[in-house]
Amino acid sequence: MDASRVAVLLNEFRVMPRLLIGLYGWVFWDVAQWFMTIDNPTAAQAAFVSTMVGAAAAFFGLYVRK
């Protein structure tokens, strides 16, 4: 199989966007689990988690739009 055929298959099945969404889901889950173990979270820690949650909407919007 030549490189151009592989590129076409990767594009048709949207492998990279699906992989990135999966990786983001894993990171999101890990951050949520970390945050829930903190007894007294600071404002900076809460802002970090809020940023991760907000980024989910952006990533999902980019994934769905294409």
Side-chain angles (χ1 to χ4, degrees):
M1 186 176 294
D2 62 341
S4 64
R5 181 68 179 144
V6 171
V8 168
L9 286 174
L10 289 176
N11 191 33
E12 285 178 4
F13 291 110
R14 299 177 63 188
V15 173
M16 290 307 293
R18 291 172 195 245
L19 180 65
L20 290 174
I21 289 293
L23 288 173
Y24 178 76
W26 175 55
V27 168
F28 178 80
W29 180 262
D30 202 31
V31 167
Q33 293 297 315
W34 163 76
F35 188 72
M36 288 189 282
T37 61
I38 300 173
D39 289 332
N40 294 317
T42 65
Q45 291 167 330
F48 174 69
V49 172
S50 295
T51 302
M52 292 298 292
V53 171
F59 281 124
F60 186 70
L62 290 172
Y63 177 73
V64 171
R65 189 179 310 163
K66 236 172 180 204

